[in-house]
Every structure is written in structure tokens, then in C-alpha cells.
């Protein structure tokens, strides 16, 4: 069997993406099987989002209810199964700057290639209301703590800001300029909807590669995104929603009386054997039992 790449090799591959000249779309994954499918289909990288983790682990909305231990363990399962280099959404680092350091330690040990730490004030305070931003000093403290906590230099630390969503372009630019000096390897932005916004952010990024949390259709030109410094652009998390739809339709059909043999859209045996690496386990059984 061909062994999955080591964590160091996956980190080197992700750094090569950031250092390259193209913008890639990562696969959104949530478990070992989805990670393997992404690898088999040739995705250069994969993304494990906090919102998807909340759904996959708890069946809950994205309200920062997943714990660090739960998140890191699911990331470990995905990496162990042979997913492409994995970028994970570590949210706010599960607490203050010291908690961020613990978060980096756990996720690094899980085998991920890259992680984002954001400056949103999470979880929401008593009474709910609209989310806000941490102060710039607190945000910088978290980013610096993340960089200081990694033990393997290949691990990619990405500074993420929600300023464009929550405040203004001016604040996003101010934070981009500040986070470009904290030792992070890339900058992550959500809410970029205009080329002019992206240009303003790129101008202060200090040459760091940019990751976008999604773009509108009018900004789908990957060559133009690349020219603006974007190396990774998320497309959403449709695979998990598609899996939910397939599960719901199949279970409903069975509940309504459809015979198992008559169910549509069932994965063929060859695909099931591939995603479970049945051939590898057959060889293990032959050689070691």
C-alpha cells in the first residue's frame, strides 16, 4: 500500500500552495471518508471548518459549542485517514491567548497543515446580540501566541479577521496591516465582495498570501484572484449539506417502504472498497494474521 504523506510533507505541500502562483479551491471535508474522497479526486488541500465540525460532531449550529478536544480529535481522524493537506478553522482559539497556545499544540499534534485564528469576540456574551471584534491589541496577542506555540516550523499559522463583515473596510485594512507584522504565514478574510476591497487589503498585506472565506460569483476568476495575492478561496461547505440530503432521502425512502434493492444513488461496491481502503486491509490480513 502507499502510505499517506507525513504531517511534515502535508505542511510542506500547503506552504507550496501559498508560495505558488495559483489560487486553489480546497475540498470541504468533515470525516475520514470525505477526506479520502478529496484525496482520491486530486484536491490540493482540504478545509475542516468550525461550522462543519459543529454539525458533524454535535449536530448543532455554529455557536462555538464544540470543544477543543472534540475538534482536534476529529481533525486527527481526518488527517490519519489520508486527507489532503488540511486547513482547519480554529475559531477564536477556544479562549484567550493562552488558550490559543493550547489550541495550536493540540491541532499540531493532530497532523494538520494549517490553522486559522480569528479576532471575532467569541463566544457571544450574555444576552447574545451581534458579534463584535476583539480589540486590535487582543487580536495581535492571539496571533503572536499562535506563532509562538507551534513546535514544528512547517505548521502554517493564518491570521483571520472578520473586520470587513462586522465593521468596515478601513478597519479590515488596519488589521491586515497589523497582522502582517505578527509572524503569521498568511491572512484570511471573510466578507470580501468587491475587487476594490481585495486590492486595498492586498496593498497592506506585506506580501503575505491571502485566503478568502468565499467570494461572490462576480469574483470567481481564479487568475484574477491569484493576481491579487489570493492562494486559497473557499467555496462553502456543500458536501456536508449534500450528505445530509442523501441520508434524509435514503432513510425516508426506507421508512416509506422502498425496498433496499430499489434505492437510488447508492455508492457502488467499488467506490465503497476504495474509500475504506479494503485492498490495503486485505493485504494486512494476508501478511500479518
Amino acid at each position: 500500500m502507499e502510505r499517506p504523506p507525513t504531517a511534515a510533507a502535508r505542511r510542506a505541500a500547503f506552504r507550496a500552495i501559498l508560495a505558488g502562483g495559483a489560487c486553489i479551491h480546497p475540498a470541504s471535508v468533515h470525516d475520514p471518508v470525505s477526506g479520502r474522497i478529496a484525496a482520491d479526486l486530486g484536491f490540493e488541500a482540504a478545509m475542516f471548518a468550525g461550522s462543519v465540525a459543529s454539525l458533524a460532531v454535535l449536530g448543532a449550529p455554529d455557536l462555538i459549542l464544540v470543544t477543543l478536544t472534540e475538534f482536534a480529535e476529529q481533525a486527527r481522524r481526518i488527517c490519519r485517514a489520508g486527507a489532503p493537506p488540511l486547513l482547519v478553522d480554529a475559531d477564536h482559539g477556544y479562549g484567550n491567548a493562552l488558550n490559543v497556545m493550547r489550541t495550536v499544540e493540540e491541532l499540531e499534534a493532530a497532523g494538520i497543515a494549517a490553522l486559522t485564528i480569528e479576532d471575532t469576540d467569541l463566544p457571544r456574551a450574555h444576552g447574545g446580540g451581534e458579534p463584535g471584534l476583539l480589540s486590535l491589541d487582543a487580536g495581535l496577542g492571539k496571533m503572536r501566541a499562535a506563532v509562538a506555540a507551534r513546535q514544528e516550523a512547517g505548521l502554517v499559522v493564518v491570521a483571520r479577521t472578520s473586520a470587513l463583515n462586522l465593521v468596515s473596510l478601513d478597519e479590515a485594512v488596519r488589521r491586515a496591516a497589523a497582522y502582517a507584522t505578527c509572524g503569521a504565514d498568511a491572512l484570511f478574510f471573510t466578507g470580501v465582495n468587491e475587487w476594490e476591497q481585495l486590492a486595498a487589503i492586498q496593498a497592506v498585506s506585506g506580501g503575505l498570501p491571502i485566503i478568502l472565506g468565499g467570494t461572490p460569483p462576480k469574483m470567481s476568476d481564479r487568475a484574477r484572484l491569484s493576481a491579487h495575492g489570493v492562494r486559497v478561496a473557499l467555496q462553502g461547505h456543500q458536501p456536508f449539506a449534500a450528505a445530509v440530503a442523501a441520508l434524509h432521502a435514503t432513510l425516508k425512502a426506507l421508512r416509506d417502504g422502498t425496498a433496499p434493492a430499489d434505492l437510488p444513488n447508492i455508492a457502488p461496491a467499488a467506490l465503497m472498497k476504495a474509500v475504506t481502503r479494503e485492498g490495503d486491509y486485505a493485504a494486512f490480513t494476508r501478511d500479518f494474521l
Side-chain angles (χ1 to χ4, degrees):
M1 68 171 288
E2 183 178 348
R3 302 295 294 178
T6 64
R10 291 194 296 265
R11 289 163 188 161
F14 195 84
R15 284 187 174 274
I17 292 170
L18 296 182
C23 172
I24 65 110
H25 295 313
S28 176
V29 301
H30 60 276
D31 68 357
V33 168
S34 60
R36 281 179 176 166
I37 291 172
D40 289 348
L41 291 175
F43 277 90
E44 301 92 341
M47 172 73 185
F48 182 42
S51 59
V52 172
S54 189
L55 291 166
V57 176
L58 298 179
D62 186 18
L63 297 173
I64 319 298
L65 301 176
V66 172
T67 67
L68 168 59
T69 302
E70 291 169 330
F71 185 79
E73 185 54 38
Q74 190 72 349
R76 186 190 314 276
R77 294 185 183 111
I78 295 169
C79 292
R80 175 184 171 276
L86 189 64
L87 166 66
V88 304
D89 170 14
D91 285 320
H92 61 315
Y94 298 91
N96 63 22
L98 300 185
N99 296 108
V100 167
M101 298 183 79
R102 169 74 190 281
T103 295
V104 172
E105 292 172 1
E106 294 295 334
L107 292 174
E108 183 176 22
I112 66 161
L115 62 90
T116 68
I117 296 293
E118 66 180 88
D119 58 7
T120 312
D121 189 7
L122 296 171
R124 295 190 190 184
H126 173 71
E130 294 300 316
L133 292 177
L134 297 172
S135 70
L136 180 56
D137 284 345
L140 278 169
K142 284 194 171 189
M143 308 311 172
R144 289 172 177 152
V147 172
R150 65 181 168 194
Q151 298 180 44
E152 204 274 295
L155 180 69
V156 174
V157 175
V158 183
R160 172 173 172 166
T161 182
S162 303
L164 189 55
N165 285 96
L166 301 179
V167 184
S168 66
L169 175 60
D170 287 344
E171 184 62 19
V173 167
R174 185 169 83 103
R175 291 186 180 235
Y179 296 157
T181 68
C182 70
D185 303 295
L187 302 175
F188 187 118
F189 300 91
T190 58
V192 176
N193 294 312
E194 302 290 344
W195 291 108
E196 293 77 13
Q197 295 171 332
L198 182 55
I201 288 168
Q202 183 192 17
V204 298
S205 66
L208 289 182
I210 294 171
I211 300 175
L212 295 181
T215 56
K218 64 183 178 181
M219 294 183 69
S220 62
D221 183 340
R222 284 200 283 171
R224 191 173 177 185
L225 287 170
S226 178
H228 281 78
V230 179
R231 295 296 174 261
V232 179
L234 276 59
Q235 291 183 297
H237 306 296
Q238 301 87 348
F240 188 88
V244 170
L247 283 167
H248 187 277
T250 301
L251 287 170
K252 184 177 186 302
L254 289 168
R255 181 64 173 170
D256 292 344
T258 301
D262 295 332
L263 290 169
N265 303 318
I266 301 300
L271 178 57
M272 292 302 298
K273 289 179 180 179
V275 300
T276 59
R277 303 299 192 256
E278 184 176 301
D280 292 339
Y281 285 97
F284 298 153
T285 301
R286 181 192 66 235
D287 295 343
F288 306 126
L289 287 183

